[in-house]
């Protein structure tokens, strides 16, 4: 839970009407984040915040219990890693 991640150097993210678009330059693939929670997680992945920090920030803003948040954040980070959108520091 103390692991820190950062956006991969070969990604560019930018706001769109539906949320945030992430362009994976190495694959020339686009991903869209529409959920406010997913967008918040993406923004909190900054090379400084640990996974535990992200969970605590989200607990302040959303009425979700810590266990559920831990599971959801871990799964989402796994998806981002699988698609090479983030890297471990």
């Amino acid at each position: 839970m103390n692991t820190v991640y950062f956006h991969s150097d070969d990604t560019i993210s930018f706001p769109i009407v539906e949320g945030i678009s992430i362009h994976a330059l190495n694959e020339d693939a686009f991903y869209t984040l529409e959920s406010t929670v997913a967008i918040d997680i993406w923004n909190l992945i900054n090379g400084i915040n640990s996974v535990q920090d992200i969970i605590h920030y989200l607990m302040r803003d959303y009425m979700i219990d810590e266990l559920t948040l831990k599971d959801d954040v871990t799964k989402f980070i796994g998806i981002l890693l699988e698609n090479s959108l983030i890297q471990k520091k």
Side-chain angles (χ1 to χ4, degrees), residues 26-41:
N26 60 341
E27 300 174 17
D28 196 27
F30 287 86
Y31 302 88
T32 302
L33 302 179
E34 296 177 352
S35 157
T36 55
V37 176
I39 293 167
D40 285 347
I41 294 169

